[in-house]
Amino acid sequence: MEAKRERWSSRALFIFAAIGSAIGLGNVWRFPYLCNEYGGGAFLIPYMVCVVALGIPWLMMEFGMGRYFQKGAPGVFEGIGKKWEWLGWWPSMVAFLIVSYYSVVLAWSLRFVISSVNMEWGVGEAGAEAAGGFFFNDVLRLSSGPGDLGSIVWLTALCLLIVWVVIFFSIWKGAKESGKWHFVFVIVPWILLIAVAIRGFTLPGAAEGLNSYLTPDFSKIWSPDVWFGAASQVAFSLSVGMAGMFAYGSWVKKKADITNSTIIASFGDMATAFLAGFAVFSVVGFLVQGLNINLEDVTTSGLGLAFVTYPAAVSMMPGGNSLVGLLFFLSLFTIGVDSAFFLAQGGVIAPLTDKFGWNIKKTTLGVCIAGFLLGLLYCTQGGLYWLDIVDRSVSFYGLLITGILATVVVGWKFGADKLRLYVNETSDIKVGRWWNWLLKLVVPLAMTFVVIYGGFIQDLSYLWDSTKTEYGGYGGWAAWVWLILFIALLVSIGLNLIKTRKKGDK
Ligand code: PHE
């Protein structure tokens, strides 16, 4: 079995696979926003500190452990001790839930690629004003709340099907063959973002937008909000804590360098986010000037940025609207689609085939169909609310809590030093003993701070402060944030109890 494990065919391929998995929607719609919000260029300092102190040790741990045990996350934790196997399944469930809605955001991006062709939401100032209504009323046909699902929006469902077909055909032949798609889905969005940024630079108002994005304000960097923003973004952006990177590490050639590749991938991710900021803020600056409003009045992050602010700006452009819209939404799709297949492949399919010895193609098909079917929930008229609830549950709490547990168990039980020496054996850059403490203490403590400061204090404050509401103002529905995590945990424990198929088992 061991000898037959798949391998990335080259070092470059592994690095691109890591970068491709890391770069995604977060690089476009969260990093630039955080910079703008938290001190412009000065934010790069806390961000870089978090990349070096948290992101790199954590990612190195996942790659290193995957290579050591030659397994995806559950196999790694089973290797540490059978009783820990659930700790690999939990993030694997989290990965599955993330991809179930991440793919829907990609479906909306595709929908906007199509709508860009004839500028369906309109051009000029009228178009800019209609953009919000177009997204919420025409694309989503949004209902009144999570309790009101309404019907499935079939055009979105069709786009979702296309997304899953692309995911399936990128990964159905296994890791080695899927690698080349990472090249495509890293290089193409880079080119598209550069093209959009160049268009952005030539627009009036771009300079103000970029000033806001980059002008350093060092006074902000001591605020805990800034550190919360930086630490949570590093974890999300590097795609750690979702099981997948363990599997990606398990496909690295036995003698290959891990440390160096981790560093390159982490900085590649950051550079992409930085680049995306130019495409975003030049265009936002233009919109703000054109409508004669303040930058604070437009949404510069998340879905609002991608599907309302950006389309509005595109409407206002003096020419080539359709083309700019098309390029931007294609960049969103291409930057995100390999994060999606990484989640499916590294996070779910590899753990299942490792454990049960199932056939890769069939397992891939099954996971893709299951992901699509679950995704239909978010294609309903109430889907956006559910997307928001599940997102909070898994990509915030799920990622961080499983990450904290994983770093603690690897750091203290398996042994940070053992892992460090193992990784150093084949690395040009040898990491010193300080690395052990980053893994054993700094990463888990920093992430605990993030969970408490940006999570519990926000979402549970309604318990002691009557002016606050449950997460998202969804009333009792917000309980699903916790329920989903708990159910995922139970399923993980259930999987832990099932015997792992060993070589030679029938
Ligand atoms: N890192 C991806 C992004 O920035 C998101 C992601 C997180 C993808 C976790 C896969 C897993 O968008």
Side-chain angles (χ1 to χ4, degrees), residues 21-27 98 102 236-239 242 339 342-343:
S21 318
I23 64 175
L25 301 167
N27 299 58
I98 296 185
Y102 201 86
F236 182 76
S237 197
L238 289 182
S239 300
M242 341 245 143
S339 294
F342 152 81
L343 285 167

Side-chain angles (χ1 to χ4, degrees), residues 165-382:
V165 168
V166 174
I167 295 177
F168 176 75
F169 283 110
S170 304
I171 57 177
W172 71 308
K173 289 190 178 154
K176 191 166 175 201
E177 289 293 315
S178 68
K180 60 176 181 290
W181 291 108
H182 281 295
F183 274 120
V184 174
F185 292 124
V186 168
I187 292 172
V188 170
W190 277 348
I191 295 173
L192 293 174
L193 284 173
I194 291 172
V196 175
I198 291 175
R199 177 65 186 123
F201 293 156
T202 60
L203 294 165
E208 283 80 66
L210 294 176
N211 275 339
S212 178
Y213 170 43
L214 291 175
T215 307
D217 172 0
F218 289 96
S219 68
K220 292 206 173 151
I221 64 175
W222 299 113
S223 136
D225 285 349
V226 172
W227 290 89
F228 160 73
S232 58
Q233 175 66 6
V234 164
F236 182 76
S237 197
L238 289 182
S239 300
V240 283
M242 341 245 143
M245 291 299 189
F246 288 95
Y248 271 41
S250 75
W251 297 320
V252 172
K253 289 199 177 117
K254 274 277 168 94
K255 293 253 155 8
D257 182 304
I258 285 191
T259 314
N260 218 345
S261 306
T262 307
I263 295 172
I264 297 174
S266 305
F267 283 101
D269 177 66
M270 180 169 161
T272 309
F274 192 62
L275 163 69
F278 288 90
V280 169
F281 274 93
S282 57
V283 168
V284 168
F286 159 72
L287 176 71
V288 167
Q289 190 184 70
L291 292 178
N292 209 356
I293 50 178
N294 291 323
L295 204 138
E296 296 75 50
D297 299 332
V298 296
T299 312
T300 50
S301 71
L303 297 172
L305 168 78
F307 301 120
V308 179
T309 306
Y310 221 91
V314 169
S315 296
M316 301 279 293
M317 287 183 189
N321 311 47
S322 206
L323 181 65
V324 182
L326 207 104
L327 295 181
F328 176 72
F329 290 110
L330 264 183
S331 76
L332 274 191
F333 176 76
T334 53
I335 205 170
V337 77
D338 52 342
S339 294
F341 73 61
F342 152 81
L343 285 167
Q345 182 183 45
V348 188
I349 296 161
L352 289 174
T353 51
D354 281 350
K355 172 135 183 143
F356 298 106
W358 292 341
N359 170 288
I360 292 184
K361 287 184 187 157
K362 287 185 193 152
T363 313
T364 305
L365 185 65
V367 169
C368 290
I369 292 175
F372 170 71
L373 291 177
L374 181 55
L376 290 176
L377 168 69
Y378 319 103
C379 297
T380 61
Q381 291 173 262

